[in-house]
Amino acid sequence: MKSLKKTILLLSMLIIVLAFSISAAFAADVSGTEFLTGCNLSPGASKAIALFIGNADAASHSYTLTAGDSANSYELYFSTDGAAVKSLTVPAGTSGQVDLNINLKGESSVNEDKLSVKAVRDDGKENVINLSIIINKDHMLTVKSMLDKFDVFSGKSAEITLSVTNNGSKDLNNIKIKPELPYKWFVSQGTETVMNLKPGETGTLTIKVDVPSSQVAGNFAAKFTAMSDEMSSGQISIPVTVKTSSNIGLWMLGILILIAGFTLLQFKRHGRR
């Protein structure tokens, strides 16, 4: 009987210890934040990793987001619906998504890297996790413009020649250009052209950009990305200066006025000969 009581007492104590341990483990996850981890990243390419923040608290909370502590150098920013953000507000009892955008800067010093991501809640509680990043050098794609900038008149078109290089160790197939242009601008030629490149090969693609006649004069940016079946390159931005025919007319009028003024001045000085 005494032996049975001791056994029951030991079991009761064990249950209490286990219950306390489980409660402590859950209590340690004070922020209620959960992340999905890991990605493969090719040099020159961008990658967006979806991170999910779950707020199990009874009140809405704002989470400040940071990322760093990696061996390689990356261009990093968080975004929601395409807009860059530094924090995310999650209502009580729900979860929110934020994308971590990663782009490798320069050469990689290691091919297997880790990136520390931190979400700090508005009450100071935080959660940290390491993302595993594998640098994939099998597929590497870069795009460059033959011109640093270009000028175009409203209502006219401009041809932009882009060079695309396969810097990886495997073939890239069906490479084409994806443009991102100012409002009402469009590509009338070039986006349907595709090419295949073997490792080390470079090809050129010409894009014809049409600017609407309603476009006012000013400075803009045309952005381009090379895309293949295997991956996408980093995006390049080309400065564009738009001029209007009215500007040319004003310049010509100004020149004519100067010529007329100079002629009249000469006539007054020297008189008729």
Side-chain angles (χ1 to χ4, degrees), residues 55-61 90-94 121:
N55 178 16
D57 206 347
S60 176
H61 287 290
V90 183
T94 64
R121 208 165 72 174

Side-chain angles (χ1 to χ4, degrees), residues 33-183:
T33 304
E34 296 178 357
F35 290 114
L36 295 180
T37 63
C39 76
N40 290 322
L41 185 65
S42 297
S46 300
K47 177 80 74 171
I49 303 175
L51 306 176
F52 297 89
I53 300 179
N55 178 16
D57 206 347
S60 176
H61 287 290
S62 175
Y63 297 83
T64 300
L65 307 162
T66 57
D69 299 329
S70 58
N72 295 325
S73 179
Y74 302 98
E75 179 183 354
L76 302 167
Y77 69 94
F78 296 93
S79 66
T80 57
D81 298 325
V85 297
K86 293 183 178 180
S87 62
L88 181 69
T89 299
V90 183
T94 64
S95 62
Q97 177 183 335
V98 62
D99 294 330
L100 173 60
N101 300 271
I102 304 177
N103 184 29
L104 178 66
K105 296 171 62 177
E107 295 292 331
S108 60
S109 58
V110 296
N111 293 332
E112 296 184 9
D113 201 3
K114 288 185 177 181
L115 185 66
S116 178
V117 179
K118 180 186 294 186
V120 181
R121 208 165 72 174
D122 47 23
D123 57 4
K125 298 173 182 179
E126 65 182 47
N127 202 345
V128 180
I129 196 167
N130 288 324
L131 296 177
S132 61
I133 301 177
I134 305 299
I135 305 301
N136 177 14
K137 295 187 176 181
D138 290 338
H139 297 121
M140 298 170 61
L141 181 63
T142 57
V143 60
K144 294 181 179 179
S145 171
M146 296 297 191
L147 296 175
D148 293 333
K149 60 180 181 178
F150 67 93
D151 300 339
V152 64
F153 290 105
S154 295
K156 301 296 182 180
S157 60
E159 288 191 346
I160 305 169
T161 301
L162 303 170
S163 67
V164 183
T165 302
N166 180 357
N167 303 107
S169 59
K170 292 187 177 181
D171 293 353
L172 294 176
N173 301 297
N174 297 320
I175 302 169
K176 58 184 178 181
I177 298 297
K178 178 184 177 182
E180 183 180 322
L181 303 173
Y183 180 61

Side-chain angles (χ1 to χ4, degrees), residues 165-259:
T165 302
N166 180 357
N167 303 107
S169 59
K170 292 187 177 181
D171 293 353
L172 294 176
N173 301 297
N174 297 320
I175 302 169
K176 58 184 178 181
I177 298 297
K178 178 184 177 182
E180 183 180 322
L181 303 173
Y183 180 61
K184 289 188 177 181
W185 295 27
F186 65 95
V187 173
S188 58
Q189 177 183 326
T191 52
E192 73 281 359
T193 305
V194 298
M195 68 169 64
N196 301 324
L197 291 176
K198 293 185 179 299
E201 287 186 339
T202 297
T204 58
L205 293 169
T206 300
I207 302 293
K208 187 177 181 181
V209 176
D210 292 344
V211 178
S213 57
S214 59
Q215 179 64 65
V216 297
N219 296 316
F220 304 88
K223 300 178 181 180
F224 302 94
T225 304
M227 303 180 65
S228 72
D229 289 345
E230 297 79 14
M231 65 167 299
S232 299
S233 73
Q235 188 181 71
I236 62 170
S237 180
I238 306 173
V240 183
T241 299
V242 176
K243 301 178 181 179
T244 61
S245 57
S246 59
N247 289 345
I248 300 300
L250 290 174
W251 275 101
M252 293 181 65
L253 179 61
I255 292 172
L256 288 174
I257 292 173
L258 287 174
I259 293 174

